[in-house]
Amino acid sequence: MNLKQLSELLGLSQTTVSRALNGYPEVNEATRERVLQAVRETGYRPNKAAQRLATGKAGSLGLVMPTAPGHQSDVHFGEFLAGLGEEAVRHDFHFVIMPADPDDEVAALRRLAISGNVDALFVAYMRGHDPRLPMLKSLSTPFVVHGRSHGTEPDYPYLDIDNEAAFYDAAKLMLQLGHKRFALMNGPEHLDFAIRRKQGLESALAERGLHLNEDCISHTLMTDEQGLVAMEQFLQLPDRPTAILCSSTVLALGAIRAVNQAGLKLGEDISLIAHDDVLPLLKPENFSVPLTTTRSSLRAAGARIAQRLIGTVKQTGSFPEQELWKTELIVRGSTGPAPKP
Amino acid sequence: MNLKQLSELLGLSQTTVSRALNGYPEVNEATRERVLQAVRETGYRPNKAAQRLATGKAGSLGLVMPTAPGHQSDVHFGEFLAGLGEEAVRHDFHFVIMPADPDDEVAALRRLAISGNVDALFVAYMRGHDPRLPMLKSLSTPFVVHGRSHGTEPDYPYLDIDNEAAFYDAAKLMLQLGHKRFALMNGPEHLDFAIRRKQGLESALAERGLHLNEDCISHTLMTDEQGLVAMEQFLQLPDRPTAILCSSTVLALGAIRAVNQAGLKLGEDISLIAHDDVLPLLKPENFSVPLTTTRSSLRAAGARIAQRLIGTVKQTGSFPEQELWKTELIVRGSTGPAPKP
DNA sequence: GGAGGACTTCAAAGCGCTTTGACAAACAAC
DNA sequence: GTTGTTTGTCAAAGCGCTTTGAAGTCCTCC
């Protein structure tokens, strides 16, 4: 059943039926009702590809999903997608997800944009000097970045959390508790949030004349295994750190296993603050020792970005181009006074 | 840059350029090379919507993502998507994801299929007597179901794991270890896998003349919190169970917290076997007491389904309509002999 | 020298929708 | 009775691609 058949069935032109369906005012209400009735009876649905072709709008957001045979799937991605979805479902938008090898992201994003399949793009996993930004700016597809790109003029639309402040505050708390020896379990070095969190920690330390030793920084994928390995290494250091900042509750999961295996007590021998993306699976309060965290909901960020993107596409309302969300520092049991030497 | 412009630029007809790009044999190799060169220089990409409209094929798989403001995002979904993606990326397929309220799944799936936006559908979270099956059969869009639907003639294409055998085997192991009092921590009651796993357990018990008490069955969402709650209730039963079968490592996570909090020892006081979907975040070997599991990779299932769907769309090769994968029973530390009374 | 083939290329139709510009019909105003 | 204004409807063009059917060119072979 297509528009032509439907209009023949009704003895109307395609124009009139199309307008009746799309809410145009120049259609007699009685006619519109007849059309709607026929749609209900026949189950007619407009062909999206044709609509897209005719209007240039498709009601869809595009994103690139990094994937590869060996590539670990990322819980953060799923959670973010849930946030996007929550908002998209309200506006009858859908997603076009292009899976791509992480090394091929620029090209994949470009393909997606130019394909004419999406109205707007969402971009994540930002790096320092991210090569996708110049590319995106040269295109006419609207986009919003989750995160920022260190080293690039911040003149693009983004939503980020204040990673630097988050880790600055976390470090401050540790300092107040008397900790002097810090370690940082961070995400991959090239990622923007990792850069900023490190800066946040370092500037808090610098204020007290302290310095972060290279041995006490790990940059790894955000998996619990990597957390375990990194923590094991920290614990073997001659002058082992007592204050750990950790970029994810996922890393913390492994880190805490290492602490337990070493027979140490979290919140006494070792204090730890993790960044909490509010993953449903890893609630900080559910850890055997509840975790002190810097918190910001990934899902809420997803919903907000969807809102901005859809608003832009539909031209309803205007939004700030740049948003920087503060994180909350939530103190629980995993932080305590520095142990006496 | 569109096909018309490109062909004018080259002084060729649209036909020839189109054929050159799509690998048709009736194009002079020299001409094809010229076209390809021009594509490289101009960055031309065909408009997908137009291609879709012209060919009826879009190179996309459709799926419905259950979501709602209060709805917990599901790690299993993300992991499955990763599997689909892994395969899709090889064939330059993408996904169209329609977020939908869980109560609206049938309609959402229908919309997605009829929209003409997808070549094939993937369907999950199967229920007993699933209402989506009759609907799907009435459409002409190819689809593959992950799971099965208890109570429906199995004449539709599916990929499932042998849930019944998995839990039958798990129960057998427990029985051999001398356990007599069983409990089941299952997923939502209406879901197909939950039905079959329960059957598997019950038939193993029946062989020994044992019976599963209603108190000893929980049907909940697969979250760690629900696991905690369910286990707490089991532990308060007057004649508390010693053998727990658990439908997910996520549930097990909470369950084990409850066991620990009760001061009991996993693998001694309580034995537990969980089903392991091979989530990267929850490796059974990383639990403080490594978990005995029935294992089947969700990600592998996703990849396989993508393979089947894409194969069907592209008409390359043929695949079995129905596949039933065996799970592996992997014995680790969480199972031990039944405690002496 | 003309028939038959192989090889290339092209103009035009069509996919299903939206939108432009034209046009009846009905009514109001002069 | 003409003109002007709404109101509701339509035919046709166009979105960017693929594909059909036709046709031009160049060989080969009798």
Side-chain angles (χ1 to χ4, degrees):
Chain A
M1 171 65 57
N2 59 24
L3 187 61
K4 191 172 172 196
Q5 291 165 8
L6 185 67
S7 57
E8 279 166 4
L9 187 77
L10 283 160
L12 289 169
S13 73
Q14 295 190 40
T15 313
T16 303
V17 177
S18 168
R19 294 201 153 143
L21 291 174
N22 293 314
Y24 281 70
E26 59 266 67
V27 171
N28 190 319
E29 271 314 312
T31 311
R32 190 192 305 276
E33 201 34 66
R34 262 183 68 215
V35 171
L36 260 37
Q37 183 57 35
V39 166
R40 258 172 257 132
E41 282 164 13
T42 58
Y44 165 80
R45 290 279 157 190
N47 180 306
K48 287 278 180 190
Q51 270 182 327
R52 166 76 189 167
L53 192 54
T55 59
K57 303 273 164 234
S60 65
L61 304 181
L63 56 151
V64 170
M65 172 172 83
T67 186
H71 189 265
Q72 277 235 3
S73 76
D74 181 4
V75 254
H76 303 88
F77 182 84
E79 184 62 9
F80 195 88
L81 196 59
L84 287 172
E86 181 183 317
E87 183 67 23
V89 70
R90 291 202 198 121
H91 303 273
D92 200 23
F93 264 61
H94 59 259
F95 303 116
V96 175
I97 295 198
M98 173 160 296
D101 194 283
D103 298 332
D104 187 38
E105 275 185 329
V106 188
L109 194 59
R110 197 186 153 73
R111 278 203 302 280
L112 187 55
I114 304 191
S115 75
N117 241 341
V118 299
D119 298 326
L121 292 169
F122 153 72
V123 186
Y125 301 106
M126 294 306 289
R127 312 173 169 221
H129 300 276
D130 201 295
R132 287 170 297 180
L133 282 172
M135 193 273 284
L136 284 165
K137 286 190 213 163
S138 75
L139 266 42
S140 54
T141 313
F143 66 97
V144 170
V145 164
H146 184 218
R148 278 177 289 175
S149 177
H150 202 258
T152 304
E153 182 72 18
D155 58 351
Y156 47 88
Y158 65 75
L159 169 68
D160 198 5
I161 58 173
D162 195 342
N163 285 301
E164 192 167 346
F167 271 42
Y168 177 88
D169 292 346
K172 275 289 197 192
L173 173 64
M174 290 288 203
L175 287 166
Q176 282 162 13
L177 288 167
H179 292 273
K180 297 250 184 318
R181 298 194 303 281
F182 282 73
L184 173 64
M185 303 177 59
N186 213 346
E189 194 160 12
H190 56 270
L191 293 185
D192 181 80
F193 76 81
I195 299 172
R196 293 184 199 265
R197 289 178 188 173
K198 187 174 161 198
Q199 284 177 348
L201 169 56
E202 280 176 338
S203 59
L205 292 180
E207 286 180 7
R208 299 282 187 103
L210 293 171
H211 178 72
L212 191 62
N213 203 316
E214 273 304 316
D215 295 347
C216 293
I217 305 177
S218 75
H219 286 286
T220 63
L221 287 178
M222 311 259 257
T223 68
D224 58 337
E225 266 126 347
Q226 295 290 345
L228 178 83
V229 171
M231 183 59 100
E232 280 173 345
Q233 284 174 2
F234 291 156
L235 293 180
Q236 280 165 14
L237 290 175
D239 210 16
R240 76 160 183 251
T242 62
I244 316 284
L245 299 200
C246 184
S247 263
S248 163
T249 45
V250 180
L251 282 170
L253 195 65
I256 290 168
R257 251 197 350 266
V259 170
N260 291 337
Q261 283 171 13
L264 297 172
K265 279 251 188 311
L266 191 65
E268 296 178 19
D269 306 311
I270 297 276
S271 286
L272 183 146
I273 302 180
H275 180 72
D276 175 20
D277 290 303
V278 196
L279 304 177
L281 202 51
L282 284 177
K283 307 218 169 150
E285 61 269 32
N286 287 347
F287 279 70
S288 50
V289 176
L291 248 48
T292 297
T293 57
T294 56
R295 179 172 74 182
S296 182
S297 161
L298 202 50
R299 183 164 172 153
R304 172 63 178 174
I305 289 184
Q307 199 179 42
R308 280 174 60 180
L309 286 172
I310 293 171
T312 305
V313 171
K314 286 193 170 175
Q315 316 244 39
T316 62
S318 72
F319 298 92
E321 276 284 276
Q322 280 94 24
E323 284 178 87
L324 195 62
W325 288 4
K326 288 284 171 204
T327 62
E328 292 173 88
L329 181 62
I330 298 175
V331 180
R332 298 195 187 81
S334 69
T335 39
K340 302 279 179 297
Chain B
M1 171 64 57
N2 58 26
L3 187 62
K4 191 172 172 196
Q5 291 166 8
L6 184 67
S7 57
E8 279 166 5
L9 187 79
L10 283 161
L12 289 169
S13 73
Q14 295 189 40
T15 312
T16 305
V17 177
S18 169
R19 294 200 152 144
L21 290 174
N22 294 314
Y24 282 69
E26 58 267 66
V27 168
N28 189 319
E29 270 315 313
T31 310
R32 189 192 305 275
E33 200 37 64
R34 259 183 72 214
V35 172
L36 261 36
Q37 183 59 34
V39 167
R40 257 172 259 134
E41 282 164 13
T42 58
Y44 165 80
R45 288 280 156 190
N47 179 306
K48 286 278 180 190
Q51 268 181 330
R52 167 75 188 171
L53 192 54
T55 59
K57 303 271 163 238
S60 67
L61 304 181
L63 57 151
V64 170
M65 171 172 83
T67 186
H71 189 265
Q72 276 234 5
S73 76
D74 181 4
V75 254
H76 302 87
F77 182 83
E79 183 64 9
F80 195 88
L81 196 58
L84 287 173
E86 184 182 308
E87 184 68 22
V89 69
R90 291 202 199 122
H91 302 275
D92 200 22
F93 264 59
H94 59 260
F95 303 116
V96 175
I97 294 198
M98 173 160 297
D101 192 284
D103 297 332
D104 186 39
E105 275 185 332
V106 187
L109 194 59
R110 197 186 154 74
R111 279 204 301 281
L112 186 57
I114 303 190
S115 76
N117 241 341
V118 299
D119 298 327
L121 292 169
F122 153 72
V123 186
Y125 300 107
M126 294 308 287
R127 311 172 169 224
H129 300 277
D130 201 295
R132 290 171 294 181
L133 282 172
M135 193 273 287
L136 283 165
K137 285 189 209 160
S138 76
L139 299 173
S140 54
T141 313
F143 67 97
V144 169
V145 164
H146 184 219
R148 277 176 290 174
S149 176
H150 203 258
T152 304
E153 181 73 18
D155 58 351
Y156 48 90
Y158 66 76
L159 169 68
D160 197 6
I161 58 174
D162 195 341
N163 285 300
E164 192 166 347
F167 271 43
Y168 177 88
D169 292 345
K172 275 289 197 192
L173 173 62
M174 291 288 203
L175 287 167
Q176 282 164 13
L177 288 166
H179 292 272
K180 297 251 184 316
R181 299 195 300 283
F182 283 73
L184 172 63
M185 304 177 60
N186 213 345
E189 194 160 11
H190 55 269
L191 293 185
D192 182 81
F193 76 82
I195 299 172
R196 294 186 198 264
R197 287 179 189 172
K198 186 173 163 200
Q199 285 178 346
L201 169 56
E202 281 176 337
S203 62
L205 292 180
E207 286 180 7
R208 298 282 188 103
L210 293 171
H211 178 71
L212 190 61
N213 204 315
E214 272 303 315
D215 297 346
C216 293
I217 305 178
S218 75
H219 286 286
T220 64
L221 287 179
M222 310 259 256
T223 68
D224 58 337
E225 266 126 347
Q226 296 289 347
L228 178 83
V229 172
M231 181 59 99
E232 280 173 345
Q233 285 174 359
F234 290 157
L235 293 181
Q236 279 165 14
L237 291 175
D239 211 18
R240 76 160 184 250
T242 62
I244 316 285
L245 298 200
C246 185
S247 262
S248 164
T249 46
V250 179
L251 282 171
L253 195 64
I256 290 168
R257 253 200 345 269
V259 170
N260 291 336
Q261 283 170 13
L264 297 172
K265 279 252 188 314
L266 190 67
E268 295 179 19
D269 306 310
I270 298 276
S271 285
L272 185 147
I273 302 180
H275 180 71
D276 175 21
D277 290 304
V278 196
L279 304 177
L281 202 51
L282 285 176
K283 308 220 167 148
E285 61 270 32
N286 288 347
F287 279 69
S288 51
V289 176
L291 249 49
T292 297
T293 58
T294 56
R295 179 172 74 183
S296 183
S297 161
L298 202 50
R299 183 166 174 152
R304 173 61 178 174
I305 289 185
Q307 196 179 43
R308 280 174 59 179
L309 286 172
I310 294 172
T312 305
V313 172
K314 285 194 170 175
Q315 318 242 39
T316 60
S318 71
F319 299 92
E321 276 285 276
Q322 280 94 23
E323 286 178 85
L324 195 62
W325 287 6
K326 289 283 173 205
T327 62
E328 292 174 88
L329 180 62
I330 298 175
V331 181
R332 299 196 187 82
S334 69
T335 41
K340 299 280 178 296

